[in-house]
Amino acid sequence: MPDPGTPENPLRVAIIGAGPSGFYAAEQILRDPKTEAQVDLFDRLPTPYGLVRGGVAPDHPKIKSVTRVYERTASKEGFRFFGNVEVGRDLGIEDFERHYHAILYTFGAEADRELGIPGEDLPGSFAATAFVGWYNAHPDYADRDFGLDKVKRAVVIGNGNVAMDVSRMLALDDAELRRTDIADHSIEVLDASGIEEIVVLGRRGPAQAAFTNPEIREIGELEEADVIVDPADVELDPDSRAWIESDAASKTARVNVEIVEQYSKRTPEGKPKQVRLRFLASPVEIRGGKRVESIVIGRNELVVEDGSPRARDTGEREELKCELVLRSVGYTGVPIPGVPFDEKRGTILNQEGRVLEGPGGPHRTGHYTAGWIKRGPSGVIGTNKKDAQETVDHLLADVAEGRLLDPSDPGPAAVENLLAERKANFVSFSGWRKIDHAEVTRGRPHERPRVKFVKVEEMLEVASQPHPEEIPDGS
Ligand code: NAP
């Protein structure tokens, strides 16, 4: 048998997870001039694009336009999409090992990090990941009820971009929401909510906030909500002041501080809602009976430990009435059976994308990872391009060295046959194109980019029908 990567024996790669890193890695492998490759991209959902579809906020359509780049990858020779295929349910790692020279895990970090405080699991306290999934029509979260009709004050915990997204979604008005691709089921619920105030808790100061400039700026540009910041909250401690004025501070941090300082000087215009940004404030306990009734907030001070400013509890407490808590303190990866996992970091155990058998190595031949499940949940969509390239460079170097899996059945038809045998109803990229077309068509009369399907069964039904543009006239 000729070496893998030649026209007679193309390199066969399975990529698991069809989000940005999966698509970037597929593109980078297929683009390599020295390697003849076939890439099969798997996702447990019938739809591709991961967090671009299920995470990016509905009012950020420009960010979503990156899918055009992924569509170009999908149209390349050697690319196949297998949607609605779940590892563990439809295929096991040993199946991939039997059919591919390399396996690349790009399934992201889909669980929420926990706060570890009493009352965290009371009804009315939710992970922001669930709320984001719900308004983005992710099938896993379609049936969630956040009890928004009972909410006057919502508390959002965390100071990252997800906290900004969920705060903004709670504050947008009906007309703004109706222009977007937000899940249909969310529009009326959000519109009927009685929310008057959204309180955002940052455990450190504005100089340490994780949000980026456009996201904090948008909070100050809401039609229906005043942004409120207590001037005392943005007074920087001497260490933060010295840092923000030094060359060590990033431009993002400097501008974040400027924006928040400007907010603290604003006079509220009397808009129907308020977004209140609080700093040096940590959740200590969530209280309630049948559901959330209040949150106990601890006042922090900043102390520099190992060169980093950390939040230290001053012991000062305050109880704030609220009916909803959204915990937005970051994501974490979920292990899949048979793949070495670093529990502490919430990532697959790896070195620069090569999966390791254990801490310190060796490399598990033929297994690679990229994206959030490789490095943790950080960066913007584009960060995954560079991240995937590092992994793909190693993969291609290993191809040149012949360090690959030795599949017993590498023919491209074998995987399709196996899926058919297991009665897995997979969706190809042309199946996704039908879903896409149907969603866009549903949106057109309402001047919306699309109206998403939320149920997997609906998606499978549409994907199994002929594409409307392929049906001859009169039939
Ligand atoms: P993130 O950026 O890591 O922010 C997590 C926030 O939670 C931080 O403010 C962190 O504070 C806080 N936190 C952590 N543990 C806490 C605790 N026990 N108590 C109180 N606060 C706590 O995570 P994310 O917002 O989930 O975003 C994930 C990634 O997606 C980020 O890279 C983000 O930029 C990206 N993203 C981008 C966009 C966009 O470009 N528009 C939108 C959404 C997400 P400390 O800093 O003190 O740890």
Side-chain angles (χ1 to χ4, degrees), residues 60 63 113 115 157-163 165 201 203-204 208 210 212 215 282-283 328-331 372 377-380:
H60 281 171
I63 299 181
R113 283 187 39 210
L115 281 171
I157 300 167
N159 251 188
N161 281 334
V162 172
D165 281 352
L201 301 184
R203 67 173 165 182
R204 299 190 287 163
Q208 292 80 30
T212 42
E215 284 68 24
S282 273
S328 180
V329 296
Y331 293 71
W372 277 9
S378 65
V380 293

Side-chain angles (χ1 to χ4, degrees), residues 88-136:
R89 182 191 67 185
D90 304 305
L91 294 178
I93 299 302
E94 61 292 348
D95 296 315
F96 291 104
E97 287 177 330
R98 207 173 312 130
H99 298 299
Y100 296 91
H101 298 106
I103 309 165
L104 175 41
Y105 306 101
T106 53
F107 51 81
E110 65 174 324
D112 56 289
R113 283 187 39 210
E114 285 177 9
L115 281 171
I117 60 169
E120 184 167 4
D121 297 322
L122 270 175
S125 162
F126 301 94
T129 46
F131 188 60
V132 170
W134 173 74
Y135 64 60
N136 273 331

